[in-house]
């Protein structure tokens, strides 16, 4: 099993759609989880942290399921500007200094 | 106002050459990182420094040598460049190690011919 695994997509959805991504991780002792967004030919930027109780930021909702070792990202009412690659990041796999990125899920929102 | 900056943005060079990439952050962070993103877009950590001290050294060829002259700078020197070194190299920083948001530089696109 890969350390951090994501469905690479691509996900092609119409504007206004709801789309969900999952990410699985291998180390049950992992402590912190993030979703980053990377636009084409740009650097990754933090989208949101993922907390144990789940958290929401506008149209974005992140969930953590420790028992099944996965995190999810839900995007409601997709906008054209949401088109990007979404990177799942898990740290604490080996120690607190360690952050591991998934390969990313590509989302394209179409008019 | 740039938080994490890298130079150069683009680097095209011949196999066998030695090159350096520089990174600077003005966020006052203690920890800096180098990542490599290959053609498949997979982002992989190479090195991490905390207060100028090496804390992560992933399995990378010893042709890659990081140097941190101070907390705000982490440079990457690459000896004897190979075709497979072609990738985008991102520098990042965080306030402290581990459970912290990382801020990335714009990347250096390296092409080895």
């Amino acid at each position: 099993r890969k350390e951090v695994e994501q469905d690479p997509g691509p996900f092609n959805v119409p504007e206004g759609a709801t789309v969900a991504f999952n990410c699985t991780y291998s180390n049950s002792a992992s402590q912190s989880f993030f979703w980053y967004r990377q636009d084409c030919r740009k650097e990754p930027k933090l989208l949101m942290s993922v907390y144990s109780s789940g958290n929401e930021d506008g149209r974005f909702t992140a969930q953590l399921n420790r028992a099944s070792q996965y995190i999810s990202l839900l995007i409601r009412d997709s906008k054209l500007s949401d088109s990007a690659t979404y990177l799942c990041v898990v740290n604490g796999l080996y120690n607190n200094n360690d952050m591991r990125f998934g390969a990313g899920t590509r989302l394209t929102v179409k008019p | 106002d740039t938080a994490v900056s890298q130079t150069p943005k683009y680097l095209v060079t011949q196999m066998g050459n030695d090159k350096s990439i520089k990174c600077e952050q003005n966020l006052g962070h203690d920890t800096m990182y180098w990542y490599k993103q290959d053609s498949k877009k997979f982002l992989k950590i190479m090195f991490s420094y905390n207060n100028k001290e090496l804390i992560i050294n992933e399995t990378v060829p010893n042709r890659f040598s990081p140097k941190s002259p101070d907390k705000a700078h982490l440079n990457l020197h690459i000896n004897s460049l190979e075709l497979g070194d072609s990738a985008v190299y991102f520098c990042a920083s965080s306030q402290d190690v581990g459970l912290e948001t990382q801020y990335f530089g714009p990347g250096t696109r390296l092409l080895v011919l």
Side-chain angles (χ1 to χ4, degrees):
Chain A
R1 188 177 184 180
K2 287 185 183 174
E3 294 170 312
V4 182
E5 197 156 6
Q6 294 182 249
D7 181 344
F11 284 65
N12 298 309
V13 302
E15 262 186 300
T18 296
V19 62
F21 310 134
N22 280 341
C23 166
T24 57
Y25 59 94
S26 59
N27 188 335
S28 58
S30 296
Q31 299 178 48
S32 291
F33 311 88
F34 306 88
W35 284 102
Y36 277 69
R37 170 193 169 131
Q38 186 172 23
D39 292 290
C40 189
R41 299 182 69 78
K42 297 286 188 180
E43 71 273 21
K45 290 183 180 177
L46 179 70
L47 178 66
M48 58 198 303
S49 302
V50 186
Y51 302 122
S52 297
S53 53
N55 48 300
E56 192 173 304
D57 183 2
R59 299 180 293 108
F60 298 84
T61 301
Q63 297 277 355
L64 167 64
N65 185 319
R66 283 192 184 273
S68 301
Q69 291 179 216
Y70 77 83
I71 65 172
S72 62
L73 177 68
L74 181 79
I75 306 176
R76 289 182 299 278
D77 189 23
S78 301
K79 311 289 184 196
L80 296 177
S81 57
D82 294 335
S83 298
T85 296
Y86 291 83
L87 303 168
C88 170
V89 185
V90 178
N91 86 347
L93 276 172
Y94 299 106
N95 53 54
N96 280 350
N97 305 329
D98 194 0
M99 285 183 81
R100 301 284 162 157
F101 283 74
T105 298
R106 179 106 180 256
L107 171 67
T108 302
V109 181
K110 300 189 173 179
Chain B
D1 281 312
T2 305
V4 183
S5 58
Q6 294 179 230
T7 53
K9 285 188 90 169
Y10 300 94
L11 185 53
V12 181
T13 188
Q14 300 284 339
M15 251 186 352
N17 283 350
D18 303 338
K19 290 292 177 186
S20 292
I21 308 172
K22 295 186 176 182
C23 178
E24 177 180 1
Q25 54 94 4
N26 62 6
L27 297 167
H29 287 168
D30 289 339
T31 307
M32 296 184 73
Y33 311 81
W34 275 111
Y35 288 87
K36 178 181 179 181
Q37 189 168 42
D38 60 27
S39 56
K40 295 183 180 176
K41 307 299 182 187
F42 189 57
L43 196 67
K44 192 166 183 184
I45 192 165
M46 300 174 70
F47 302 103
S48 173
Y49 270 73
N50 179 252
N51 278 315
K52 302 195 301 175
E53 187 180 328
L54 181 66
I55 53 172
I56 291 179
N57 185 355
E58 281 293 289
T59 308
V60 299
N62 56 16
R63 299 182 294 103
F64 290 79
S65 51
K67 282 194 173 47
S68 182
D70 54 59
K71 257 180 22 171
H73 295 85
L74 181 61
N75 303 323
L76 184 65
H77 187 75
I78 316 170
N79 287 328
S80 303
L81 278 155
E82 299 177 358
L83 296 177
D85 297 333
S86 297
V88 182
Y89 292 84
F90 286 101
C91 177
S93 74
S94 64
Q95 181 61 52
D96 203 339
V97 298
L99 313 179
E100 298 281 342
T101 303
Q102 293 191 8
Y103 296 84
F104 283 78
T108 295
R109 283 156 182 81
L110 171 65
L111 178 61
V112 182
L113 302 174

